Amino acid sequence: MVCPGSFDPVTNGHLDVFARASRLFENVIVAVMVNRNKQGLFSSQERIDMVKETVAHLPNVKVEGFEGLLADFCKQRDIGAIVKGLRAVSDFDYEIGMAQLNRGLTSVETLFIATNPEFGYLSSSVVKDVASFQGDVSGLVPPAVAVRLKEKFD
Ligand code: PNS
């Protein structure tokens, strides 16, 4: 199965989803997607590198970058399921549409994991906002990401 996202940057909330998925499934691919509609803070390579460092302790999780449709990524690798974290009803509104679209495109199923309430408010955007004002992001992102955010906003 695959955990897709733009991960700009990866947060402790994402890591929680990867770790939980890695206990449920034999093999997990984290797909770092290039989203043309989102102007990223980090380059694709930086985002991939940060995810790799973040999941280094999870032996059955591997990381791949991809530019294109998530449905095509799944089709090319014969992936049967997409796993995504759901924080709130607002996520559901968007995610249900994506799940239906992707299933229409290539019969791939989407499974949702209820986010740990500890990370309910956490998002890559919130992290970038806090870091841009030199706020403390140490509880929000893995250490490797905190270092890179500091470099970006110093
Ligand atoms: O972390 P995000 O930005 O919420 O992740 C969204 C993502 C990358 C999963 C989504 O934008 C995506 O799948 N993009 C790839 C292009 C695509 O397949 N678009 C249509 C269906 S989502």
Side-chain angles (χ1 to χ4, degrees):
M1 49 69 58
V2 60
C3 291
S6 35
F7 308 119
D8 184 47
V10 65
T11 69
N12 285 344
H14 295 132
L15 174 58
D16 182 57
V17 172
F18 305 154
R20 288 161 65 195
S22 78
R23 291 195 284 272
L24 290 171
F25 297 90
E26 237 171 89
N27 290 300
V28 175
I29 301 175
V30 177
V32 181
M33 306 297 288
V34 176
N35 186 338
R36 290 197 191 133
N37 303 317
K38 271 192 192 173
Q39 177 62 44
L41 172 66
F42 292 100
S43 69
S44 321
Q45 195 55 54
E46 286 175 313
R47 289 185 274 131
I48 293 166
D49 291 345
M50 286 186 283
V51 177
K52 280 188 175 162
E53 289 167 43
T54 298
V55 301
H57 63 292
L58 300 169
N60 60 336
V61 179
K62 70 174 195 178
V63 183
E64 279 187 48
F66 189 74
E67 183 166 5
L69 284 178
L70 178 57
D72 289 338
F73 181 89
C74 295
K75 196 172 174 179
Q76 285 164 16
R77 290 158 184 77
D78 204 19
I79 290 171
I82 296 165
V83 171
K84 300 205 81 178
L86 268 193
R87 287 166 297 195
V89 181
S90 48
D91 280 347
F92 182 83
D93 281 346
Y94 175 73
E95 295 295 347
I96 192 77
M98 291 302 105
Q100 289 163 339
L101 172 73
N102 285 323
R103 184 156 183 275
L105 288 172
T106 188
S107 309
V108 63
E109 299 290 355
T110 299
L111 310 176
F112 296 110
I113 287 190
T115 299
N116 185 332
E118 195 189 333
F119 304 124
Y121 59 87
L122 191 50
S123 67
S124 298
S125 307
V126 160
V127 164
K128 284 182 274 195
D129 215 17
V130 173
S132 71
F133 293 107
Q134 278 76 42
D136 180 13
V137 292
S138 58
L140 310 179
V141 293
V145 177
V147 169
R148 287 182 193 241
L149 279 166
K150 205 168 178 317
E151 284 166 8
K152 281 270 179 208
F153 290 111
D154 251 2

